[in-house]
Amino acid sequence: MTTATTRHSDRRISPVFIGIVAVTAVTGWATWTGFGERTDIAVFLFVTGAWIVSLCLHEYAHARTALHSGDISIGAKGYLTLNPLAYTHALLSIVLPVIFVIMGGIGLPGGAVFIERDRIRGRWRHSLISAAGPLTNVLFAIACTAPFWLDALDGVPPVFLYALAFLALLQVSAAILNFLPVPGLDGYGVIEPWLSHEVKRQIEPFAPFGLLFVFALLWVPQINSVFFDLVHSVLNGLGVSDQEASYGWSLYRFW
């Protein structure tokens, strides 16, 4: 019998995603070579493209983990194609995270894939599904900072390194924020299966506002300072200096 887990078309990579990857690759090349008169615009397009790619992989990780945990409806919804247009809330999943990056240099993914939780048995599986997304950001951050912690900087153009440093900052900030136990974020999804029914019932009305609440808090100078001190501490541990990430941020804001 053909199901959502066996149809090849449900897993075929979307041309939309391939297009985003292509734009990222071309602008990454332009950033590396200094092609054109406006390298800063190339940095903006490269980092934005790579950020959207990471958002797609973040949601794919949720979906793929849910599929293997028992939700066979995932494939039919298009979540395995890496197509951001197939997400439940394309505005929250792609547009707002990009706006957050442009406004404040903060990596804050939004909710996207709808998982039929009643198909999944076992609290550990529910927790793992929620954790899969931000763990993807962790892996992305490690990949972006590889030239730094491997001490393989020889021959790498400084502008490209600065772009990678800023992209790594976005990934680290996304991982930290998403692991916060705030309703609406993945961190809450990790602990939710272990809460009592009464506690979950009381918290549920606040879930739609969790993302905006966190973003609003980050505009409080004292909280913002503590948060970015933590982000930079992680980056420093991965070999990226505050100055390199700051240069990347300055290049990104070409306007």
Side-chain angles (χ1 to χ4, degrees):
M1 182 176 69
T2 302
T3 68
T5 62
T6 58
R7 288 198 300 266
H8 178 70
S9 61
D10 291 338
R11 304 187 185 193
R12 187 180 297 122
I13 296 178
S14 165
V16 174
F17 180 75
I18 294 174
I20 296 170
V21 171
V23 170
T24 304
V26 170
T27 53
W29 169 80
T31 300
W32 181 286
T33 62
F35 179 80
E37 298 180 356
R38 295 295 302 272
T39 305
D40 51 356
I41 294 179
V43 169
F44 173 82
L45 295 174
F46 168 59
V47 172
T48 300
W51 174 236
I52 295 174
V53 167
S54 74
L55 293 175
C56 294
L57 292 174
H58 176 110
E59 302 306 337
Y60 176 84
H62 285 311
R64 191 76 187 191
T65 307
L67 174 67
H68 291 293
S69 297
D71 184 1
I72 61 174
S73 70
I74 287 294
K77 295 171 183 172
Y79 298 156
L80 300 179
T81 66
L82 291 164
N83 182 1
L85 301 180
Y87 297 155
T88 306
H89 299 292
L91 175 65
L92 291 178
S93 305
I94 300 297
V95 179
L96 283 183
V98 171
I99 291 175
F100 291 157
V101 171
I102 293 173
M103 291 177 60
I106 300 171
L108 191 60
V113 297
F114 174 72
I115 296 169
E116 297 184 18
R117 294 278 183 170
D118 57 337
R119 293 175 178 264
I120 299 164
R121 297 291 179 266
R123 290 182 292 184
W124 282 108
R125 289 180 177 178
H126 285 280
S127 295
L128 183 58
I129 290 169
S130 295
L135 286 176
T136 303
N137 295 112
V138 172
L139 293 176
F140 215 103
I142 293 173
C144 289
T145 57
F148 298 90
W149 52 264
L150 288 175
D151 196 22
L153 303 179
D154 292 343
V156 181
V159 171
F160 189 80
L161 284 176
Y162 300 151
L164 282 183
F166 178 56
L167 182 58
L169 181 149
L170 297 180
Q171 301 301 327
V172 170
S173 62
I176 292 174
L177 290 172
N178 250 296
F179 272 127
L180 293 176
V182 175
L185 297 180
D186 292 327
Y188 177 73
V190 172
I191 67 171
E192 184 183 23
W194 308 90
L195 301 176
S196 68
H197 176 73
E198 180 62 24
V199 171
K200 288 189 287 188
R201 187 181 65 82
Q202 293 178 353
I203 293 176
E204 185 177 2
F206 300 99
F209 310 103
L211 180 66
L212 294 178
F213 174 71
V214 169
F215 186 66
L217 282 180
L218 288 173
W219 286 99
V220 178
Q222 295 84 352
I223 296 176
N224 184 279
S225 178
V226 171
F227 171 71
F228 276 104
D229 283 346
L230 176 59
V231 171
H232 284 293
S233 294
V234 174
L235 288 175
N236 293 164
L238 293 171
V240 179
S241 70
D242 296 1
Q243 189 176 43
E244 288 166 328
S246 178
Y247 282 160
W249 170 231
S250 298
L251 285 169
Y252 183 81
R253 291 174 60 86
F254 69 90
W255 54 92

